[in-house]
Amino acid sequence: MSRYSNVIILIALVVALALSLAIGSVSLPLSELLKALTGHGNELADSIVWKIRLPRTVLIALTGMALGGSGATYQGLFRNPLADPYLIGVASGAGLGAVVAMSLHWPYSLWGMMAVPVAAFGGALLTVTVVYMLARVGKTAPPTTLILAGVAISSFATSLTSFLMLRSEGELHRAMSWLMGGSIQLGWIPVLAILPYLMIGLTILALSGHALNLFQFGDEQAQQLGLNVVYVRKVLLAAASLTTAAAVSFSGIIGFIGLIVPHMMRLWFGEDYRRLVTLSILGGASALLVSDVLARIVLSPQEIPVGIVTALAGAPFFLWILRRVKSQEAG
Amino acid sequence: MLKIRSLSVQYGERPVLREVSLDLKRGEVLALIGPNGSGKSTLVRAVSGVIPVAHGYIRVDGQDVTHLSPMQRARKIAVVPQAISLPPAFTVWQTVLMGRTPYLNFLGQLSQRDKEIVNQALTRVQALHLAQRQVGDLSGGEAQRILLARALAQSTPILLMDEPTAHLDLKYQVSMLHMIRELAHHDGLAILLVLHDLNLAAEYADRLALLAEGQITAIGSAGEVLVADLISPTYGLPVQVVSHPLHGRPFVTALGAPQV
């Protein structure tokens, strides 16, 4: 199966993209969709596809890529199968950073928007550093302590976020709707605002496969094999946190994609991080697109936040992995 | 080849190695012996660069390696660790491939030459047939050979080995030590070997170095180092050293209970 991994995952992505473009409060058959995409559709279909569906689909796909890629990287760096941008608190930290930026009065322009991921990045870096230092036992962070530290810091960041939102009256609504994934009404601006950060972050992650493989042998062996462990760990933590921050800035806090997707990829296609990171990036896009489609149709015409869908699917999955980790630690 | 002079290492305030000096020549197996906690593994870790050196220098072919980057250092010195806690889901091939790390570019691309070298390394330790197996499915002896292959794939002139026979049964111990001796005498590698078994050290090493409380107290041939007057006080155990009936090298046996 691993030989065809790229083909399988690309087909899944194309299907997910098509579903995301076709399904919504106005359902578009495939023929209409193709016409609209090539600019030959009727006016209504054109405007639905180009102004609403496509920007939303691209934003969701980019967010999924970011969560899948950073999830795989955190898991590899911490040698911890439960690491996920949400569970280790990075996403909440990034959310806090984003809300701090939003509670100031900043312009609605593209440049103003581009400042949000920077603030989110600051929050993410701070969180990941604190969580790692709290959870560290010797040179590794055992699964359970990492999650405990993540949960604690995450609640702290979330409380601060709520507090800020309650205090800042006028901006509250905007920040709240953004963190719930409400920025989809903003068209292409959020996509453009996160694209540069994601390009940098995802490129670094996609190139990190060999280094992540080395980390699986522990710091000491990795260094003896020629890896500059201290430096590379910092670069990869920064890149994964930048990627998470960009995703959180305009899609809000979405849990479990960064946990589930790398796990599925590992189960299906093997442990090699050279492939695993790229596959998790692509698989993350598909998974979040499908979740988003579900979020649109479950209570149609009303939408539910996509984070609810991923949490409903992800929490049981998390418990399943936790059981596996426990039995591995016992055996 | 490898020249260590007045090497001192501390864990916090506690000195672990004190003024250690030794030379390792091309084509030589030097066995490092000594009781638990005498600093054998620390010496391996210090030479490989994973713990800082407080004082002294380590030179390879005249070049001080303490200031080299991990990548440059990994082209000169390879380490064979004990075969415990290897990532079980990697294949043997992937594991040995890690040995090519110091030669990969930042994209981590493999050349045809890298693949050939991995093949050669696996062939050298008679494990090419295991290439596609998962490391978690290997026996202790097989896993230890894979780690040796990984170190060979680093193409370094110097090998450091931390108790490569620790968890092996007698047959694998002997075959591993045979392989090690071949690599030194035939391929010209310089090999520093931490060994617990004094008699295996006597049989397979060209020279022995005795480490006690972080200091080298004796270095030389088995006949010079394995003498009761040195071994007994170092290990806190009365021993008798006899001449082995088959090969004539010294053979150490414990006499009675240790002096606690």
Side-chain angles (χ1 to χ4, degrees), chain B residues 170-189:
Chain B
L170 187 60
K171 180 183 133 194
Y172 278 123
Q173 284 184 16
V174 169
S175 93
M176 174 61 71
L177 288 166
H178 262 289
M179 224 175 259
I180 290 166
R181 194 163 59 180
E182 267 292 297
L183 285 167
H185 295 175
H186 184 266
D187 299 32
L189 293 179

Side-chain angles (χ1 to χ4, degrees), chain A residues 13 59 73 138 177:
Chain A
L13 182 56
L59 184 65
T73 306
S177 79

